[in-house]
Amino acid sequence: MNRHILIVDDDPKIAQLIEIYLSNEGYTVSKAGDGLSALEFMKDDKIDLVILDIMMPGLDGLSVCMKIRETKTTPILMISAKDGDMDKITGLMTGADDYMVKPFNPLELIARVKSLLRRTYFNGQPQQTQPDNLIRIQSLEINKQTHTVMFEGRPIKLTPIEFGILHLLASHPGRVFNSEDIFEMIWKEKYYDSNNSVTVHMSRLREKLVKEMDGEKIIHTVWGVGYKIEA
């Protein structure tokens, strides 16, 4: 299936370079030069992934990301010239799924795009749901095929990374996963020291679950070791 990617960057040269590489991979590409134009594109459901620059005049990328996350779980790859840990944490906390620092290798960007799309859409349309694809934890239902999470019949909106973490823990009740385990299983990349990605996404995931599950906590921290869902 041909995927539609939105590039949001006020630098036309960077946007054009990314467009060339994406088009060569067979993706449909749209471009927005500012935050407000990006939000106009996102009003329909035709965008499968967003590549979003942080530093833009007017409505910046962080604000755009937060607005998108109010209604959509579309994967977002954030790009920025800022390479500090706090900048990355801020980007991920607003709802981005991944973060890259400029200047970047376009081939690495393509690899990140493919990885996000693969995690989100499983390379095809959902098949007929089978019982093995469902995980139930009390009133919480996790459906791998449809990539949905329900609590007492109400949907819980999670980003692809958040869903991946929840599904991993729920698939192995009682097992403790440390940050390195989670990163290498979900991101499919080698873990490196001082990587805050797991901590940030775990924090957002737990916050959403507690809010939607009326204060109930299902993900537990084993201090100094990692995270688990009780068997």
Side-chain angles (χ1 to χ4, degrees), residues 108 182 225:
E108 181 183 355
I182 295 171
V225 184

Side-chain angles (χ1 to χ4, degrees), residues 2-220:
N2 185 25
R3 296 295 178 187
H4 190 172
I5 299 176
L6 174 64
I7 303 169
V8 188
D9 198 313
D10 64 322
D11 187 330
K13 292 183 179 179
I14 292 179
Q16 184 176 18
L17 175 65
I18 297 173
E19 180 183 20
I20 290 171
Y21 276 85
L22 291 173
S23 297
N24 286 341
E25 292 293 328
Y27 297 114
T28 299
V29 178
S30 294
K31 293 183 292 185
D34 58 76
L36 290 177
S37 299
L39 294 178
E40 285 297 316
F41 273 105
M42 296 304 297
K43 286 183 178 180
D44 58 39
D45 294 319
K46 297 179 181 179
I47 302 299
D48 297 302
L49 182 142
V50 182
I51 298 174
L52 178 62
D53 184 32
I54 290 182
M55 301 297 291
M56 293 186 295
L59 197 65
D60 65 16
L62 296 175
S63 300
V64 172
C65 185
M66 287 188 287
K67 290 294 292 182
I68 292 174
R69 283 290 174 256
E70 289 178 3
T71 57
K72 297 181 183 293
T73 59
T74 307
I76 297 174
L77 171 57
M78 196 167 275
I79 56 176
S80 174
K82 295 184 176 182
D83 61 356
D85 282 346
M86 284 308 301
D87 297 308
K88 179 177 181 179
I89 290 172
T90 301
L92 295 175
M93 284 299 291
T94 59
D97 296 283
D98 203 353
Y99 186 103
M100 291 189 70
V101 178
K102 296 179 180 179
F104 49 77
N105 184 330
L107 295 179
E108 181 183 355
L109 179 121
I110 294 298
R112 299 281 188 96
V113 165
K114 288 182 177 180
S115 178
L116 277 174
L117 289 172
R118 185 167 55 249
R119 283 198 298 268
T120 306
Y121 302 106
F122 298 101
N123 286 329
Q125 296 295 325
Q127 302 171 2
Q128 183 68 30
T129 300
Q130 302 295 326
D132 289 347
N133 295 318
L134 291 175
I135 298 175
R136 290 187 175 90
I137 304 172
Q138 298 178 27
S139 297
L140 187 72
E141 184 178 281
I142 305 164
N143 189 319
K144 184 177 180 180
Q145 284 287 9
T146 60
H147 220 257
T148 55
V149 178
M150 306 286 287
F151 177 70
E152 295 183 347
R154 305 193 308 267
I156 299 177
K157 292 183 178 179
L158 301 180
T159 66
I161 294 290
E162 292 163 356
F163 181 90
I165 293 172
L166 176 62
H167 187 269
L168 174 65
L169 297 182
S171 299
H172 303 84
R175 176 178 168 182
V176 180
F177 289 86
N178 61 32
S179 293
E180 181 176 349
D181 294 331
I182 295 171
F183 186 86
E184 294 186 355
M185 290 175 143
I186 301 300
W187 276 260
K188 308 297 183 185
E189 298 176 14
K190 189 66 178 176
Y191 183 82
Y192 52 91
D193 290 339
S194 75
N195 189 331
N196 297 300
S197 297
V198 172
T199 302
V200 174
H201 283 90
M202 184 66 75
S203 175
R204 285 180 53 84
L205 170 61
R206 296 171 85 172
E207 181 181 335
K208 288 182 180 180
L209 292 175
V210 169
K211 179 181 178 181
E212 297 296 335
M213 297 175 66
D214 304 321
E216 183 179 349
K217 297 180 181 180
I218 64 166
I219 298 177
H220 302 277

